[in-house]
Amino acid sequence: LGGARALLDLSRMDWAFACHFPDDPVLPGTLMLEGPLQLTGLCAAARGFNGSGRVLRTGSLRFRREVRPSDGTISF
């Protein structure tokens, strides 16, 4: 069925780092989850699926590590 990949330039997310933990810049987990969800929705829409574009639940979710501005980019 193919696949998709997206990159997020972390310098564009400076506002999120500044707001989340002052003096400890870490990307909020909700934004780390938002990227793959938007990419999944885009792929589903491209294949003709209909829906509301809302996630009802994620089940068990665990992040491997923190994302910091020095990482430069993250990929989904």
Side-chain angles (χ1 to χ4, degrees):
L1 293 173
R5 183 174 179 196
L7 298 175
L8 175 63
D9 178 12
L10 295 176
S11 66
R12 292 180 162 263
M13 301 301 294
D14 287 342
W15 65 269
F17 291 115
C19 296
H20 194 234
F21 290 123
D23 302 321
D24 186 19
V26 177
L27 190 66
T30 54
L31 294 179
M32 287 191 281
L33 180 58
E34 182 71 18
L37 292 175
Q38 284 189 16
L39 185 59
T40 301
L42 179 65
C43 291
R47 298 204 185 285
F49 288 91
N50 294 320
S52 64
R54 293 184 185 92
V55 175
L56 299 177
R57 64 180 151 259
T58 61
S60 179
L61 180 67
R62 184 175 213 165
F63 297 106
R64 293 183 186 178
R65 64 179 188 84
E66 296 174 332
V67 175
R68 298 191 173 272
S70 59
D71 292 328
T73 60
I74 56 174
S75 64
F76 304 110

